[in-house]
Amino acid sequence: MALSRWGTDAEAKELNDDIRGLLRDVLGVTAESGAHFDPAAVSASPSRLAGSDLAALADIVGAGNVSIDDAQRLPRARGKSTPDLLSWRLRPAVDCPDAVVAPGNDDEVAALLEWCGREGVAVVPFGGGTSVVGGLMPDSGGLRAVLSLDLVRFDQLESIDPESGEAVLGAGLTGPRAEELLAEHGFSLGHFPQSFPYATIGGYAMTRSSGQSSAGYGRFDEMVRGLTVVTPVGVIDAGRAPASAAGPDLRQWLLGSEGAFGVCTRVRVRVHPVPETVRHEAFRFPDFAAGAAALRAVEQQGAGPTVIRLSDESETAINLATATEEIGKTSDDAGSGGCLCLCLFEGTADHAESRHAETRAVLLAHGATSLGAGPAESWEHGRFGAPVLRDSLLDNGALVETLETATDWSNIPALRDAVSQALTTSLEESGTPALVMCHISHVYPTGASLYFTVVAGQRGEDPIEQWYTAKRAASEAIVAAGGTITHHHAVGVDHRPYLADEVGEVGVRMLRAVKNAVDPHGVCNPGTLIP
Amino acid sequence: MALSRWGTDAEAKELNDDIRGLLRDVLGVTAESGAHFDPAAVSASPSRLAGSDLAALADIVGAGNVSIDDAQRLPRARGKSTPDLLSWRLRPAVDCPDAVVAPGNDDEVAALLEWCGREGVAVVPFGGGTSVVGGLMPDSGGLRAVLSLDLVRFDQLESIDPESGEAVLGAGLTGPRAEELLAEHGFSLGHFPQSFPYATIGGYAMTRSSGQSSAGYGRFDEMVRGLTVVTPVGVIDAGRAPASAAGPDLRQWLLGSEGAFGVCTRVRVRVHPVPETVRHEAFRFPDFAAGAAALRAVEQQGAGPTVIRLSDESETAINLATATEEIGKTSDDAGSGGCLCLCLFEGTADHAESRHAETRAVLLAHGATSLGAGPAESWEHGRFGAPVLRDSLLDNGALVETLETATDWSNIPALRDAVSQALTTSLEESGTPALVMCHISHVYPTGASLYFTVVAGQRGEDPIEQWYTAKRAASEAIVAAGGTITHHHAVGVDHRPYLADEVGEVGVRMLRAVKNAVDPHGVCNPGTLIP
């Protein structure tokens, strides 16, 4: 990925004239008005490590696996949130990790953590670099330096048990590479978050990632049968059996811990045979409330789609603008409006067919109109493309970002209204109209996620602060309205101020107790998670 | 329940002559040879609390909710494991909790814990009293006394959200009472462990209970959306949203904590509409390996039964002996042998029908023969009866107990053999043949549980120690063969020596850290869970 983009430079696309016209006329922004990236202006903070430090690190991981080159340190200094991408344009003097180290096995990770504890140096684990919540900020927590610990060498399918449907995957494997290795054995993980092209297995585990097929295969945390975390006081292998009543579930103490307790080096996951069949169907609902009620019925009845998503009226309108033909073709009411619902069904042919039939019956009974397979196929085809579109919008002066939460079904309307209102009001106060779109992409028997996409105009000297102001308003609205502060983007630096609201004072005390017990010198990702 | 029985005295049943003959001829035991219960021999340890202590407790919970009567203390001194039931017969001088207190709300629980911390008195929470792992042992952990904290007054359906399918249930509600209250609103929890008639909602949560419908509705820990635990340092309400990426899942730190971190007072659970339909079908497999492969395929494909169970050849033979007629009638090979598989399918009529059809097709493809609905209906009718039968067997000189574990599918045969062998060998060494039966009653995509029932003859002066010797052999075999030390009976006192094997040294360190953080004076159930 390019420093200031989600995608590569080669993926960068010009927006068409219609969209640029819209940005200019509605949001008052143009390619000229937006902040621009000047590679020549970027400077990395100098490494604070001495030659003796680097020699010690080289002794542990090998000289070829330690670097203080700016070209290595810069891309590991930030994640891929909109503030991150804007910061390359607006704040090109970049505080960087003082070195990048790439251990090759658990013993080397343990030795690194031991050295860090002795020397007072912090560690930020690095997988795919896709954090959108500041999880990569090189915060030394008051220590004298900070290392970026790159898991790139943990890149093996370590073992596979086809009978049990389990695989042990190195934490540094990217999603596509893991799928490739599993496919050689006829298996798939079925975890497809939007960060899929870059994000890693360890990152999925440490941030509680939710893939787009969560209805069928569960969130990533539900797929994890076991995981290895190297802490400063020893290695923990959590997860002995597929289910256990032997006390608290320590897997769930480690999942989502974002490197604050140690470094995740491998994950044992459930895998399933590459599906025989994938069936697609899209539907239109007259409004969001009707669609949400239908998704609720599907999930509570256990009808069994693999993917099910519902866009609100705004997001549907944008989708229509880019895919009118497919949707128009099969629609009875060739007008527009309403809310688009996309479904996929995977498995054996019989299994997929019966789930499709049951889901379809529930949706139709709740007022859906079928739009045929087309829109669902289009979505599947382009589903990892949104972040690349964000790059182009940022280049054209727009402020565009996403955020997500989740709540009980009965609280969905109130939470959606509260967050939309908070974002709209804050951005209006900054002098720009805001288009707030929302969809449900993850359903549970008792509730669902809400995923918001916001497009506004960059305003003022500091659009980063403009966004943070809007994000704070949204976060406070989430807390007040009973949502979770993050459904699948993790905590990182950005959500840390709200964690005490999420887990309470006793919860924070429990987190701190574990942190202190396994990381007595406070070297593990000190900037993240724990308030 | 009677002190020395699972069931009430009214439920006690004479065994028929055939079974008594079998016990005599094969196991060499009779009603005369077994240990007998003499209520007159029972004596309770005197309460170590002073009048001023009782006055202080009465100030907190009200005088009517504090008792030092033996009639109150004795039934809260032990659970319902076979060693517990035998101990009333063999060790009638009983160490008891020093008082029974029944707080009425969270504030009273908090005040009790505060008093306990100040006064150096321990607390053992009490729900239904059904622990089979020593979870109720009145261990003061070196403090000067121990209270039994009875949750009987937390007996309300506190709220229900029909749209989200959630209910808040008091921790002291028994299974039947919770179902009764939910049924008034058209809902059911769908959690039916064998302890259902007595066990409580709080107990299910604190021990990670697995009900017989786990294939359809999940284990209890999967149903829990949130829970309240009153700790000595404050109240924690864990579980803000149906899914969250806000760090480690603190629900999973509390579930299974068996009172070691505090007292669970209420649980927010997923509920579902009372099913429209229940369909039943039983099958016979030629052997256990074929049946296990079939259950694995059903679960990995996601076919969707609500209940699915497979008995091994021994257990099937015993079932046949008591239900020959039903099974014989519909069977093609009217001979016997093989392994019995029982299935239930619940939900809307369409849903149950499609799951039944898919499951049936998989089972038949794996060599099953249908036995019709009869055996599955019989099982459902009598499914809470086994512990009452245990009472009768104990009365007739048999040693009878159960234990359970779980592992990956590929390890099922090795684990089953290892545990069976360990039990058989140990009991043979004690001078008795042993009948070891096994079934799979909980299936997961990557593995399954194994539930063992053992019947042997009571031997020697101390059949309690005879059993503990066999249980130690089984536990060591489980650890060595890679199973979990407990799939749904929790840790308690009995499994505590094996917890370090289960979670490792770092895991134990994490558990202790949380324990010390939330229970600085060590008053919360000091004998349980944490090594």
Side-chain angles (χ1 to χ4, degrees), chain B residues 84-169:
Chain B
D84 287 337
L85 300 187
L86 289 173
S87 76
W88 293 103
R89 297 156 161 95
L90 296 164
R91 296 166 188 174
V94 181
D95 55 315
C96 283
D98 297 283
V100 177
V101 293
N105 56 49
D106 286 5
D107 287 345
E108 291 183 9
V109 175
L112 280 173
L113 293 176
E114 201 267 333
W115 182 86
C116 285
R118 205 169 56 234
E119 293 291 332
V121 171
V123 168
V124 178
F126 184 90
T130 61
S131 174
V132 291
V133 293
L136 296 173
M137 289 302 284
D139 184 338
S140 69
L143 300 179
R144 70 174 170 100
V146 55
L147 306 179
S148 176
L149 190 158
D150 196 319
L151 287 146
V152 63
R153 294 170 67 198
F154 290 82
D155 62 349
Q156 304 293 310
L157 167 57
E158 298 188 6
S159 65
I160 187 160
D161 173 350
E163 186 177 350
S164 304
E166 280 180 29
V168 178
L169 296 168

Side-chain angles (χ1 to χ4, degrees), chain B residues 46-266:
Chain B
S47 175
R48 292 167 290 188
L49 294 171
S52 56
D53 295 325
L54 299 174
L57 293 171
D59 275 351
I60 296 171
V61 296
N65 297 306
V66 184
S67 174
I68 56 165
D69 288 355
D70 292 357
Q72 293 296 315
R73 294 191 297 129
L74 281 165
R76 290 169 181 81
R78 292 292 181 275
K80 295 292 176 182
S81 68
T82 290
D84 287 337
L85 300 187
L86 289 173
S87 76
W88 293 103
R89 297 156 161 95
L90 296 164
R91 296 166 188 174
V94 181
D95 55 315
C96 283
D98 297 283
V100 177
V101 293
N105 56 49
D106 286 5
D107 287 345
E108 291 183 9
V109 175
L112 280 173
L113 293 176
E114 201 267 333
W115 182 86
C116 285
R118 205 169 56 234
E119 293 291 332
V121 171
V123 168
V124 178
F126 184 90
T130 61
S131 174
V132 291
V133 293
L136 296 173
M137 289 302 284
D139 184 338
S140 69
L143 300 179
R144 70 174 170 100
V146 55
L147 306 179
S148 176
L149 190 158
D150 196 319
L151 287 146
V152 63
R153 294 170 67 198
F154 290 82
D155 62 349
Q156 304 293 310
L157 167 57
E158 298 188 6
S159 65
I160 187 160
D161 173 350
E163 186 177 350
S164 304
E166 280 180 29
V168 178
L169 296 168
L173 279 169
T174 64
R177 181 66 183 143
E179 286 293 339
E180 199 173 79
L181 291 170
L182 290 169
E184 289 172 11
H185 300 267
F187 285 92
S188 169
L189 189 52
H191 185 69
F192 303 109
Q194 204 164 57
S195 58
F196 176 73
Y198 302 102
T200 57
I201 296 298
Y204 296 157
M206 290 293 99
T207 62
R208 294 185 177 270
S209 168
S210 294
Q212 293 163 346
S213 303
S214 66
Y217 304 118
R219 294 160 58 90
F220 195 75
D221 50 16
E222 296 174 285
M223 298 180 185
V224 174
R225 279 276 293 103
L227 73 169
T228 303
V229 174
V230 181
T231 79
V233 299
V235 177
I236 178 163
D237 280 305
R240 187 170 171 88
S244 169
D249 185 347
L250 295 187
R251 288 175 308 173
Q252 300 289 342
W253 296 36
L254 299 168
L255 290 163
S257 62
E258 302 184 35
F261 298 155
V263 179
C264 174
T265 55
R266 70 182 55 73

Side-chain angles (χ1 to χ4, degrees), chain B residues 104-431:
Chain B
N105 56 49
D106 286 5
D107 287 345
E108 291 183 9
V109 175
L112 280 173
L113 293 176
E114 201 267 333
W115 182 86
C116 285
R118 205 169 56 234
E119 293 291 332
V121 171
V123 168
V124 178
F126 184 90
T130 61
S131 174
V132 291
V133 293
L136 296 173
M137 289 302 284
D139 184 338
S140 69
L143 300 179
R144 70 174 170 100
V146 55
L147 306 179
S148 176
L149 190 158
D150 196 319
L151 287 146
V152 63
R153 294 170 67 198
F154 290 82
D155 62 349
Q156 304 293 310
L157 167 57
E158 298 188 6
S159 65
I160 187 160
D161 173 350
E163 186 177 350
S164 304
E166 280 180 29
V168 178
L169 296 168
L173 279 169
T174 64
R177 181 66 183 143
E179 286 293 339
E180 199 173 79
L181 291 170
L182 290 169
E184 289 172 11
H185 300 267
F187 285 92
S188 169
L189 189 52
H191 185 69
F192 303 109
Q194 204 164 57
S195 58
F196 176 73
Y198 302 102
T200 57
I201 296 298
Y204 296 157
M206 290 293 99
T207 62
R208 294 185 177 270
S209 168
S210 294
Q212 293 163 346
S213 303
S214 66
Y217 304 118
R219 294 160 58 90
F220 195 75
D221 50 16
E222 296 174 285
M223 298 180 185
V224 174
R225 279 276 293 103
L227 73 169
T228 303
V229 174
V230 181
T231 79
V233 299
V235 177
I236 178 163
D237 280 305
R240 187 170 171 88
S244 169
D249 185 347
L250 295 187
R251 288 175 308 173
Q252 300 289 342
W253 296 36
L254 299 168
L255 290 163
S257 62
E258 302 184 35
F261 298 155
V263 179
C264 174
T265 55
R266 70 182 55 73
V267 184
R268 196 162 81 257
V269 287
R270 178 195 171 190
V271 294
H272 58 85
V274 172
E276 269 177 28
T277 319
V278 185
R279 300 169 70 104
H280 303 77
E281 189 166 6
F283 302 88
R284 177 186 285 149
F285 284 95
D287 56 42
F288 190 72
L295 265 63
R296 175 169 79 85
V298 163
E299 178 64 10
Q300 289 182 341
Q301 179 168 323
T306 307
V307 174
I308 188 162
R309 305 165 64 87
L310 175 74
S311 295
D312 73 358
E313 290 84 350
S314 305
E315 192 173 282
T316 300
I318 298 290
N319 285 337
L320 282 168
T322 59
T324 313
E325 199 184 340
E326 288 90 339
I327 296 180
K329 259 193 301 204
T330 52
S331 170
D332 286 340
D333 53 329
S336 64
C339 289
L340 181 65
C341 168
L342 303 171
C343 298
L344 270 66
F345 307 88
E346 297 183 358
T348 63
D350 284 356
H351 182 88
E353 187 184 346
S354 72
R355 271 49 178 179
H356 188 172
E358 185 171 339
T359 302
R360 191 172 205 278
V362 174
L363 296 178
L364 296 180
H366 279 78
T369 311
S370 175
L371 302 174
E377 288 171 345
S378 302
W379 168 81
E380 190 187 22
H381 182 70
R383 63 177 165 167
F384 304 125
V388 177
L389 177 62
R390 177 179 61 161
D391 290 336
S392 304
L393 291 166
L394 290 173
D395 286 346
N396 283 273
L399 187 68
V400 49
E401 182 58 305
T402 64
L403 61 89
E404 22 68 69
T405 179
T407 193
D408 295 346
W409 287 109
S410 59
N411 194 38
I412 287 279
L415 181 60
R416 176 165 162 258
D417 287 351
V419 176
S420 298
Q421 193 59 53
L423 289 168
T424 307
T425 303
S426 173
L427 289 163
E428 277 175 0
E429 284 170 7
S430 77

Side-chain angles (χ1 to χ4, degrees), chain A residues 152-427:
Chain A
V152 64
R153 294 170 68 199
F154 290 83
D155 63 348
Q156 304 294 308
L157 167 56
E158 299 189 6
S159 65
I160 186 160
D161 174 351
E163 186 178 350
S164 305
E166 279 180 29
V168 178
L169 297 168
L173 279 168
T174 64
R177 182 66 183 143
E179 286 293 338
E180 199 172 80
L181 292 169
L182 289 170
E184 289 172 11
H185 300 266
F187 285 92
S188 169
L189 188 53
H191 185 70
F192 303 109
Q194 203 163 57
S195 58
F196 176 74
Y198 303 101
T200 57
I201 297 297
Y204 296 158
M206 290 293 100
T207 62
R208 294 186 178 268
S209 167
S210 294
Q212 292 162 348
S213 303
S214 67
Y217 304 118
R219 293 160 58 91
F220 195 75
D221 50 14
E222 296 174 287
M223 299 179 182
V224 174
R225 279 275 293 103
L227 73 169
T228 303
V229 174
V230 181
T231 80
V233 298
V235 178
I236 178 163
D237 280 304
R240 190 172 169 88
S244 168
D249 186 346
L250 294 187
R251 289 176 306 175
Q252 301 289 341
W253 295 35
L254 298 168
L255 289 163
S257 62
E258 301 183 37
F261 299 155
V263 179
C264 175
T265 55
R266 70 182 55 75
V267 184
R268 196 161 82 257
V269 287
R270 177 195 174 189
V271 294
H272 58 86
V274 173
E276 270 178 28
T277 319
V278 184
R279 300 169 71 106
H280 302 77
E281 189 166 4
F283 301 88
R284 178 186 285 148
F285 284 94
D287 56 43
F288 191 72
L295 265 64
R296 175 169 79 85
V298 163
E299 177 64 11
Q300 290 183 340
Q301 179 167 323
T306 306
V307 174
I308 188 162
R309 305 166 64 87
L310 174 74
S311 295
D312 72 359
E313 290 84 349
S314 305
E315 192 173 283
T316 300
I318 298 292
N319 285 337
L320 282 166
T322 59
T324 313
E325 200 184 337
E326 288 90 340
I327 295 180
K329 257 195 299 205
T330 52
S331 171
D332 285 341
D333 53 329
S336 63
C339 290
L340 181 64
C341 168
L342 303 171
C343 298
L344 270 66
F345 307 89
E346 297 183 0
T348 63
D350 284 355
H351 181 87
E353 187 185 346
S354 72
R355 269 53 177 178
H356 188 173
E358 185 172 339
T359 302
R360 191 173 205 280
V362 174
L363 296 179
L364 295 180
H366 280 78
T369 311
S370 175
L371 302 174
E377 288 170 345
S378 303
W379 169 82
E380 191 185 24
H381 182 71
R383 63 178 165 167
F384 304 124
V388 177
L389 178 62
R390 178 179 58 161
D391 290 336
S392 304
L393 292 167
L394 290 173
D395 285 347
N396 283 274
L399 186 69
V400 51
E401 182 58 306
T402 64
L403 61 90
E404 23 68 70
T405 180
T407 193
D408 295 347
W409 287 110
S410 59
N411 194 39
I412 286 279
L415 181 60
R416 178 167 162 256
D417 287 351
V419 176
S420 299
Q421 192 59 52
L423 289 167
T424 307
T425 302
S426 173
L427 289 163

